[in-house]
Amino acid sequence: MSSLKNARPWALAPLVAAVIAVIVGLAIALPALAAAVTVSVSPANQSANIGDTITIGVRQNADVTTTGMQANVAFDRTKLQAVSVARGSAYPGATLLPADLATAITTANTSTGQLSNLAVFFSPGAGTVAAGDREGLVVTFHVIECGTSAITLSGIEVLDTAGDTVQVTGTNNGSVDIPCPTPTPEPP
């Protein structure tokens, strides 16, 4: 300690500069080390005909192991009608919310055009989802009218194994194109 006490102030400059460089380097590097996830509609774009039943997946591509995800799924209720919501392949045996899916589906189809607060998660110690591109939720729709319906994700949360929210760094929405039937000309 006496060598620092007796040091000339200019002699400490390299040490101070090195400490500042380390702090600045950590400030730049640490955000890059934060867990991140992109959540996507899959397939991103699809075509279907009136009367078809289609499914979309809500996929998470996380760089850490996760235990749950939540999202709102909005759609054009004049073009599509939600039929069911199920756990994706990454979450077998996980809890699926809302508990009253029938009411959530009816509300989305008749008034809001949004399946709100869909969630799938493992209770602590009941399971995890490996990092990577994984299917979290599957939504089935019945096609009722021609046109295009956007499938829009919002309110997304993904949890890591500590129960902390993983930073959502990207959201990829989707759409369904429904061609209008070509009228058959009447004979003259």
Side-chain angles (χ1 to χ4, degrees), residues 152-172:
T152 307
L153 303 174
S154 65
I156 300 166
E157 287 193 30
V158 177
L159 301 179
D160 66 15
T161 56
D164 296 324
T165 302
V166 179
Q167 180 182 6
V168 177
T169 55
T171 303
N172 299 312

Side-chain angles (χ1 to χ4, degrees), residues 75-146:
F75 58 96
D76 184 339
R77 64 187 180 87
T78 67
K79 311 279 188 274
L80 303 174
Q81 292 285 280
V83 175
S84 66
V85 177
R87 295 167 194 84
S89 59
Y91 287 91
T95 301
L96 177 64
L97 296 175
D100 188 359
L101 278 171
T103 298
I105 289 170
T106 299
T107 300
N109 287 340
T110 60
S111 66
T112 64
Q114 177 172 286
L115 294 162
S116 297
N117 301 316
L118 299 179
V120 61
F121 65 92
F122 289 112
S123 297
T128 59
V129 176
D133 185 15
R134 310 283 183 230
E135 185 179 66
L137 294 161
V138 177
V139 182
T140 302
F141 293 100
H142 183 70
V143 180
I144 61 169
E145 184 58 62
C146 64

Side-chain angles (χ1 to χ4, degrees), residues 58-71:
V58 178
R59 300 188 69 85
Q60 64 180 50
N61 193 347
D63 60 9
V64 296
T65 300
T66 61
T67 59
M69 73 176 304
Q70 173 181 306

Side-chain angles (χ1 to χ4, degrees), residues 22-70:
V22 168
I23 292 171
V24 169
L26 286 174
I28 293 169
L30 286 179
L33 299 176
V37 63
T38 299
V39 180
S40 305
V41 171
S42 178
N45 299 296
Q46 61 181 305
S47 294
N49 294 311
I50 295 172
D52 287 352
T53 298
I54 61 168
T55 60
I56 62 107
V58 178
R59 300 188 69 85
Q60 64 180 50
N61 193 347
D63 60 9
V64 296
T65 300
T66 61
T67 59
M69 73 176 304
Q70 173 181 306

